[in-house]
């Protein structure tokens, strides 16, 4: 499958970072340090279950799509020429 680049459609923003938002996720983290200034420090994290509710711009929060199908139809994506020429 071809690769795509994300460009935020918000003209005030221009971010190229897209994020996926999930809900109903169970997160488990290894506790690596107990006590001290930060009280608890964490190591490896695991996410279980959950489902995607939307894709949005990581910087301004602009809503892009509700699922993968909509994401790939979005005008915020354009062919990533650099990656596709490899
Ligand atoms: Zn944005």
């Amino acid at each position: 499958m071809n690769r795509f680049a994300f460009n935020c459609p918000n003209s005030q923003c221009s971010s190229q970072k897209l994020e996926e938002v999930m809900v109903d996720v169970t997160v488990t983290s290894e506790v690596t340090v107990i006590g001290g200034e930060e009280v608890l420090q964490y190591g490896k994290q695991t996410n279980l279950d959950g489902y995607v509710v939307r894709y949005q711009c990581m910087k301004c929060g602009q809503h892009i799509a509700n699922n993968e199908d909509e994401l790939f139809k979005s005008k915020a994506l354009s062919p990533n020429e650099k990656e596709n020429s490899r």
Side-chain angles (χ1 to χ4, degrees):
M1 186 183 194
N2 283 343
R3 295 191 182 184
F4 295 88
F6 168 71
N7 289 292
C8 180
N10 175 356
S11 57
Q12 310 289 306
C13 178
S14 79
S15 172
Q16 296 190 309
K17 290 187 175 176
L18 176 70
E19 68 185 355
E20 181 180 273
V21 181
M22 295 183 78
V23 296
D24 287 348
V25 183
T26 302
V27 178
T28 58
S29 305
E30 178 189 3
V31 179
T32 54
V33 179
I34 304 168
E37 281 181 19
E38 294 180 47
V39 187
L40 292 176
Q41 288 180 45
Y42 303 94
K44 195 179 173 207
Q45 198 174 76
T46 307
N47 303 324
L48 288 173
D49 304 319
Y51 58 93
V52 174
V53 285
R54 67 180 175 276
Y55 292 89
Q56 66 185 27
C57 172
M58 210 163 161
K59 189 175 171 191
C60 74
Q62 167 95 35
H63 176 270
I64 305 300
N66 292 318
N67 53 51
E68 276 186 16
D69 281 352
E70 286 183 21
L71 177 64
F72 281 103
K73 289 174 188 160
S74 166
K75 291 186 171 76
L77 297 189
S78 57
N80 188 333
E81 307 298 347
K82 207 164 55 181
E83 291 287 333
N84 291 333
S85 63
R86 282 182 186 172

